[in-house]
Each structure stands twice: as C-alpha cells, then as structure tokens.
Amino acid sequence: LVSVTLIDPTEQVTIQVLPSKNAVKEGDNITLKCLGNGNPPPEEFLFYLPGQPEGIRSSNTYTLTDVRRNATGDYKCSLIDKKSMIASTAITVHYLDLSLNPSGEVTKQIGDALPVSCTISASRNATVVWMKDNIRLRSSPSFSSLHYQDAGNYVCETALQEVEGLKKRESLTLIVEGKPQIKMTKKTDPSGLSKTIICHVEGFPKPAIQWTITGSGSVINQTEESPYINGRYYSKIIISPEENVTLTCTAENQLERTVNSLNVSANENREKVNDQAKLIVGIVVGLLLAALVAGVVYWLYMKKSK
C-alpha cells in the first residue's frame, strides 16, 4: 500500500476578521485569521498593521487587544516566502464620545440663565435622547430664565444602533433655589360671619410658614396647607374677628426670612350681625302688632254681636 500526498502550492490568500469587522468598537479584542488555499496549507504568515510597513510574523492568527480608534485602517497578510501574494481588509473601530456641560449636581437661583450642551463625537451618526425625571423630552433643554419647575434630573443619552453595546449617557441634577416670596389674600364668607385668609408662598428649599396675630403675638396653629408643587404652596386660616386685627404670615427657608401682614376688619361682620338682629326684632314687633290688631277687631266684633 502506497500513500501518495498531493502537494498544491498556495495560489490565493484570504484574511478574515473575528468578530465581524462591522461591529468592532473601542475596547474590543479582534483576531485576524489568514488562510492559504494550498495543500498542505501554509502555517505562518506576515501580518501588516495600519501605519506599520514591516510585517509581523505569526501563525495563521494574530490578535489585537483593547483596540482604540486609531486602529482603524487596512489590515493585510501575506505568505512568508511570497510577499506579493497578499490579502487585505479594512477595519473601522467605532467610537462614541459624549460630553455634557454642565453635569453632576448644579444649584442655580430662580431667574438665572443656564446654557446646557450635550456634545457628541462618533465614528458615524448617533441618536441622541434627552430625559427629565425618566420622561423623554421632545428637544434638548435650554434655560434663559430658570423656574422652579425646571428643577430635576436630566439625562443625555446617545447610542450607535448598528454597534451593539456602544452607548453613553451623562446626567445633570438641577436644583433651583429661591428666597421666599409671599402674597396674602382674603375672602369674606357670603354670610359675613367668617373670613378666609390665604398666604401664598413661593421658594426653595420649601419655606416654613407661621401665622401670628400682631399685637398679641399669639401663634395660630389651626391652619390648612396645600401640597408643595414646583416651589409653591399656600397656608390658609378661617377666622371670625370681633375687632380689627392684623395677621402676619412669616415664611422662612435657608436663604431668607420673609414677612407680610394683612389688616382684617370686623366692621362688615358687625354690620351684618346688627342688620340681622334688627330684622329679627322688626319681624317680632310686626307679629305682636298684628296680633294686637286682630285681638281688638275680635273684641269689637264680639261686643257688637251681644
């Protein structure tokens, strides 16, 4: 039995990239694999990297670790003894950079301007999405004059959809501070027996509200408060003053203490009560006179009958 081995010289060289060269991103490891069609196949090759004219002698595979964007370029391999027999492929190392300015936690004052920029640098077109408190925004935020409702957690997120795992995000936590601002209003009940006094307060951090009666200095604790939303809320009290009083609303946070007062008159209340009393007395007197007249008429009728 005679074993015959046919020897075919290599006439063509091919190069492969593992993983797919279309999905290479910064930080990946890539392996170049060079193959010849001879029999037996060649076991060693020269690998040429971008910017390196001298070939690197290796087996039929050569691995690059933690590639960077400057590794983008043409990769080649050839036979050791036939350098003219060469195969090449182009590899793009995809990258994505995101810069958010400002970022982290930022505290500004009410009414301030705050320019915000999210700058993207990428190997191809990238999608950009803005979120505020986990809700997607229609456009990037821009603040020419900050309001309390502008406070929140903003996220700029970008991704290369064609390259799995290549995405970046940066966040901005915006805090909008303001000194307490007070506006007081009053409303008289239709009956005229009570008055509702409201202290509207705006500020951040949330101001604490205290009511006092000017003169006596006594503190009013029986109040009703609204929820604190977007830096605003109110506190109200219902009183039935028997004399003219001055109510003072004090709002205080870490920035400042603000005081406002409102005069509350008892005149309307007294006049209403007096009018009601006069009306009741008039009705009683009218009923008594009517009864007296009826009695006299009845007496005259009975006397005439007899």
mmCIF file of all heavy atoms in Angstrom, residues 95-98 120 122 124-129 156-169:
data_model
loop_
_atom_site.group_PDB
_atom_site.id
_atom_site.type_symbol
_atom_site.label_atom_id
_atom_site.label_comp_id
_atom_site.label_asym_id
_atom_site.label_seq_id
_atom_site.Cartn_x
_atom_site.Cartn_y
_atom_site.Cartn_z
ATOM 1 N N TYR A 95 -16.311 54.363 17.671
ATOM 2 C CA TYR A 95 -16.158 55.030 18.965
ATOM 3 C C TYR A 95 -17.325 55.994 19.165
ATOM 4 O O TYR A 95 -18.015 56.393 18.216
ATOM 5 C CB TYR A 95 -14.836 55.776 19.042
ATOM 6 C CG TYR A 95 -14.701 56.901 18.035
ATOM 7 C CD1 TYR A 95 -15.095 58.203 18.358
ATOM 8 C CD2 TYR A 95 -14.185 56.658 16.766
ATOM 9 C CE1 TYR A 95 -14.995 59.226 17.429
ATOM 10 C CE2 TYR A 95 -14.078 57.682 15.836
ATOM 11 C CZ TYR A 95 -14.476 58.966 16.180
ATOM 12 O OH TYR A 95 -14.379 59.980 15.262
ATOM 13 N N LEU A 96 -17.534 56.352 20.412
ATOM 14 C CA LEU A 96 -18.626 57.253 20.760
ATOM 15 C C LEU A 96 -18.223 58.028 22.008
ATOM 16 O O LEU A 96 -17.926 57.446 23.049
ATOM 17 C CB LEU A 96 -19.907 56.452 21.038
ATOM 18 C CG LEU A 96 -21.150 57.239 21.439
ATOM 19 C CD1 LEU A 96 -21.556 58.203 20.338
ATOM 20 C CD2 LEU A 96 -22.298 56.286 21.756
ATOM 21 N N ASP A 97 -18.187 59.351 21.874
ATOM 22 C CA ASP A 97 -17.852 60.227 23.000
ATOM 23 C C ASP A 97 -19.031 61.143 23.273
ATOM 24 O O ASP A 97 -19.696 61.634 22.351
ATOM 25 C CB ASP A 97 -16.618 61.081 22.691
ATOM 26 C CG ASP A 97 -15.365 60.237 22.542
ATOM 27 O OD1 ASP A 97 -15.302 59.161 23.165
ATOM 28 O OD2 ASP A 97 -14.458 60.650 21.793
ATOM 29 N N LEU A 98 -19.282 61.393 24.546
ATOM 30 C CA LEU A 98 -20.365 62.280 24.952
ATOM 31 C C LEU A 98 -19.836 63.221 26.025
ATOM 32 O O LEU A 98 -19.198 62.797 26.986
ATOM 33 C CB LEU A 98 -21.547 61.469 25.477
ATOM 34 C CG LEU A 98 -22.817 62.226 25.894
ATOM 35 C CD1 LEU A 98 -24.030 61.317 25.758
ATOM 36 C CD2 LEU A 98 -22.737 62.728 27.334
ATOM 37 N N ILE A 120 -21.661 65.396 21.000
ATOM 38 C CA ILE A 120 -21.423 64.010 20.604
ATOM 39 C C ILE A 120 -20.320 63.959 19.559
ATOM 40 O O ILE A 120 -20.293 64.745 18.607
ATOM 41 C CB ILE A 120 -22.695 63.373 20.019
ATOM 42 C CG1 ILE A 120 -23.885 63.567 20.968
ATOM 43 C CG2 ILE A 120 -22.474 61.894 19.731
ATOM 44 C CD1 ILE A 120 -23.719 62.929 22.306
ATOM 45 N N ALA A 122 -18.602 60.819 17.241
ATOM 46 C CA ALA A 122 -18.784 59.392 16.965
ATOM 47 C C ALA A 122 -18.226 59.027 15.595
ATOM 48 O O ALA A 122 -18.003 59.890 14.741
ATOM 49 C CB ALA A 122 -20.262 59.021 17.056
ATOM 50 N N ARG A 124 -19.819 57.374 13.427
ATOM 51 C CA ARG A 124 -20.924 57.517 12.476
ATOM 52 C C ARG A 124 -22.071 58.222 13.186
ATOM 53 O O ARG A 124 -21.969 58.518 14.365
ATOM 54 C CB ARG A 124 -21.374 56.163 11.928
ATOM 55 C CG ARG A 124 -21.893 55.201 12.973
ATOM 56 C CD ARG A 124 -22.457 53.933 12.366
ATOM 57 N NE ARG A 124 -21.453 53.192 11.617
ATOM 58 C CZ ARG A 124 -21.682 52.008 11.061
ATOM 59 N NH1 ARG A 124 -22.878 51.462 11.160
ATOM 60 N NH2 ARG A 124 -20.732 51.377 10.412
ATOM 61 N N ASN A 125 -23.140 58.511 12.450
ATOM 62 C CA ASN A 125 -24.259 59.244 13.043
ATOM 63 C C ASN A 125 -24.820 58.493 14.251
ATOM 64 O O ASN A 125 -25.051 57.287 14.184
ATOM 65 C CB ASN A 125 -25.356 59.465 12.008
ATOM 66 C CG ASN A 125 -24.929 60.449 10.934
ATOM 67 O OD1 ASN A 125 -24.045 61.284 11.159
ATOM 68 N ND2 ASN A 125 -25.548 60.374 9.774
ATOM 69 N N ALA A 126 -25.041 59.261 15.329
ATOM 70 C CA ALA A 126 -25.553 58.670 16.574
ATOM 71 C C ALA A 126 -26.899 59.281 16.932
ATOM 72 O O ALA A 126 -27.174 60.436 16.617
ATOM 73 C CB ALA A 126 -24.557 58.888 17.711
ATOM 74 N N THR A 127 -27.747 58.495 17.574
ATOM 75 C CA THR A 127 -29.027 59.001 18.063
ATOM 76 C C THR A 127 -28.815 59.656 19.425
ATOM 77 O O THR A 127 -28.002 59.197 20.227
ATOM 78 C CB THR A 127 -30.055 57.874 18.201
ATOM 79 O OG1 THR A 127 -29.542 56.886 19.122
ATOM 80 C CG2 THR A 127 -30.320 57.210 16.863
ATOM 81 N N VAL A 128 -29.543 60.742 19.674
ATOM 82 C CA VAL A 128 -29.449 61.456 20.945
ATOM 83 C C VAL A 128 -30.845 61.571 21.550
ATOM 84 O O VAL A 128 -31.782 61.978 20.873
ATOM 85 C CB VAL A 128 -28.837 62.856 20.765
ATOM 86 C CG1 VAL A 128 -28.767 63.579 22.112
ATOM 87 C CG2 VAL A 128 -27.446 62.759 20.148
ATOM 88 N N VAL A 129 -30.968 61.216 22.818
ATOM 89 C CA VAL A 129 -32.247 61.274 23.531
ATOM 90 C C VAL A 129 -32.039 62.023 24.839
ATOM 91 O O VAL A 129 -31.078 61.767 25.570
ATOM 92 C CB VAL A 129 -32.797 59.860 23.821
ATOM 93 C CG1 VAL A 129 -34.041 59.933 24.688
ATOM 94 C CG2 VAL A 129 -33.092 59.122 22.523
ATOM 95 N N CYS A 156 -28.692 62.977 29.196
ATOM 96 C CA CYS A 156 -28.433 62.963 27.754
ATOM 97 C C CYS A 156 -27.847 61.596 27.416
ATOM 98 O O CYS A 156 -26.825 61.200 27.986
ATOM 99 C CB CYS A 156 -27.463 64.078 27.358
ATOM 100 S SG CYS A 156 -27.077 64.105 25.581
ATOM 101 N N GLU A 157 -28.515 60.885 26.527
ATOM 102 C CA GLU A 157 -28.101 59.517 26.186
ATOM 103 C C GLU A 157 -27.929 59.400 24.686
ATOM 104 O O GLU A 157 -28.740 59.907 23.909
ATOM 105 C CB GLU A 157 -29.157 58.528 26.676
ATOM 106 C CG GLU A 157 -28.771 57.068 26.477
ATOM 107 C CD GLU A 157 -29.791 56.131 27.119
ATOM 108 O OE1 GLU A 157 -29.652 55.869 28.330
ATOM 109 O OE2 GLU A 157 -30.710 55.703 26.415
ATOM 110 N N THR A 158 -26.859 58.733 24.270
ATOM 111 C CA THR A 158 -26.593 58.551 22.849
ATOM 112 C C THR A 158 -26.147 57.112 22.595
ATOM 113 O O THR A 158 -25.647 56.435 23.496
ATOM 114 C CB THR A 158 -25.510 59.536 22.361
ATOM 115 O OG1 THR A 158 -25.323 59.385 20.962
ATOM 116 C CG2 THR A 158 -24.186 59.277 23.064
ATOM 117 N N ALA A 159 -26.361 56.658 21.360
ATOM 118 C CA ALA A 159 -26.019 55.274 21.014
ATOM 119 C C ALA A 159 -25.771 55.158 19.523
ATOM 120 O O ALA A 159 -26.303 55.932 18.722
ATOM 121 C CB ALA A 159 -27.137 54.323 21.443
ATOM 122 N N LEU A 160 -24.937 54.175 19.156
ATOM 123 C CA LEU A 160 -24.782 53.752 17.764
ATOM 124 C C LEU A 160 -25.600 52.478 17.609
ATOM 125 O O LEU A 160 -25.229 51.426 18.127
ATOM 126 C CB LEU A 160 -23.309 53.489 17.421
ATOM 127 C CG LEU A 160 -22.375 54.696 17.370
ATOM 128 C CD1 LEU A 160 -20.990 54.276 16.900
ATOM 129 C CD2 LEU A 160 -22.910 55.782 16.463
ATOM 130 N N GLN A 161 -26.710 52.587 16.930
ATOM 131 C CA GLN A 161 -27.629 51.467 16.856
ATOM 132 C C GLN A 161 -27.022 50.263 16.148
ATOM 133 O O GLN A 161 -27.353 49.121 16.444
ATOM 134 C CB GLN A 161 -28.914 51.900 16.155
ATOM 135 C CG GLN A 161 -29.705 52.942 16.926
ATOM 136 C CD GLN A 161 -30.993 53.330 16.232
ATOM 137 O OE1 GLN A 161 -31.193 53.030 15.063
ATOM 138 N NE2 GLN A 161 -31.873 54.005 16.958
ATOM 139 N N GLU A 162 -26.141 50.502 15.180
ATOM 140 C CA GLU A 162 -25.571 49.383 14.414
ATOM 141 C C GLU A 162 -24.500 48.631 15.185
ATOM 142 O O GLU A 162 -24.097 47.536 14.796
ATOM 143 C CB GLU A 162 -24.964 49.900 13.101
ATOM 144 C CG GLU A 162 -25.960 50.586 12.180
ATOM 145 C CD GLU A 162 -26.088 52.068 12.490
ATOM 146 O OE1 GLU A 162 -25.593 52.495 13.555
ATOM 147 O OE2 GLU A 162 -26.689 52.793 11.676
ATOM 148 N N VAL A 163 -24.011 49.232 16.285
ATOM 149 C CA VAL A 163 -22.932 48.606 17.056
ATOM 150 C C VAL A 163 -23.466 48.292 18.450
ATOM 151 O O VAL A 163 -23.681 49.196 19.265
ATOM 152 C CB VAL A 163 -21.703 49.526 17.140
ATOM 153 C CG1 VAL A 163 -20.571 48.828 17.880
ATOM 154 C CG2 VAL A 163 -21.261 49.959 15.747
ATOM 155 N N GLU A 164 -23.677 47.022 18.702
ATOM 156 C CA GLU A 164 -24.266 46.601 19.971
ATOM 157 C C GLU A 164 -23.370 46.968 21.146
ATOM 158 O O GLU A 164 -22.159 46.756 21.120
ATOM 159 C CB GLU A 164 -24.509 45.091 19.957
ATOM 160 C CG GLU A 164 -25.207 44.569 21.205
ATOM 161 C CD GLU A 164 -25.446 43.076 21.154
ATOM 162 O OE1 GLU A 164 -25.138 42.468 20.111
ATOM 163 O OE2 GLU A 164 -25.942 42.516 22.151
ATOM 164 N N GLY A 165 -23.980 47.542 22.164
ATOM 165 C CA GLY A 165 -23.252 47.851 23.388
ATOM 166 C C GLY A 165 -22.529 49.178 23.379
ATOM 167 O O GLY A 165 -21.913 49.545 24.386
ATOM 168 N N LEU A 166 -22.604 49.923 22.279
ATOM 169 C CA LEU A 166 -21.904 51.200 22.220
ATOM 170 C C LEU A 166 -22.896 52.322 22.504
ATOM 171 O O LEU A 166 -23.591 52.812 21.609
ATOM 172 C CB LEU A 166 -21.235 51.399 20.856
ATOM 173 C CG LEU A 166 -20.228 52.558 20.772
ATOM 174 C CD1 LEU A 166 -19.178 52.445 21.865
ATOM 175 C CD2 LEU A 166 -19.578 52.612 19.410
ATOM 176 N N LYS A 167 -22.990 52.720 23.765
ATOM 177 C CA LYS A 167 -23.868 53.799 24.175
ATOM 178 C C LYS A 167 -23.232 54.542 25.344
ATOM 179 O O LYS A 167 -22.442 53.985 26.117
ATOM 180 C CB LYS A 167 -25.254 53.284 24.558
ATOM 181 C CG LYS A 167 -25.264 52.275 25.696
ATOM 182 C CD LYS A 167 -26.688 51.891 26.091
ATOM 183 C CE LYS A 167 -27.426 51.247 24.944
ATOM 184 N NZ LYS A 167 -28.801 50.822 25.334
ATOM 185 N N LYS A 168 -23.577 55.806 25.458
ATOM 186 C CA LYS A 168 -23.041 56.637 26.539
ATOM 187 C C LYS A 168 -24.176 57.490 27.099
ATOM 188 O O LYS A 168 -25.133 57.822 26.398
ATOM 189 C CB LYS A 168 -21.927 57.559 26.009
ATOM 190 C CG LYS A 168 -20.688 56.848 25.488
ATOM 191 C CD LYS A 168 -19.851 56.293 26.601
ATOM 192 C CE LYS A 168 -18.593 55.589 26.070
ATOM 193 N NZ LYS A 168 -17.635 56.513 25.454
ATOM 194 N N ARG A 169 -24.042 57.882 28.372
ATOM 195 C CA ARG A 169 -25.026 58.766 28.988
ATOM 196 C C ARG A 169 -24.363 59.577 30.085
ATOM 197 O O ARG A 169 -23.460 59.106 30.772
ATOM 198 C CB ARG A 169 -26.222 57.991 29.534
ATOM 199 C CG ARG A 169 -25.887 56.947 30.575
ATOM 200 C CD ARG A 169 -27.123 56.170 30.983
ATOM 201 N NE ARG A 169 -28.007 56.959 31.828
ATOM 202 C CZ ARG A 169 -29.300 56.718 31.975
ATOM 203 N NH1 ARG A 169 -29.864 55.739 31.312
ATOM 204 N NH2 ARG A 169 -30.038 57.452 32.779
#
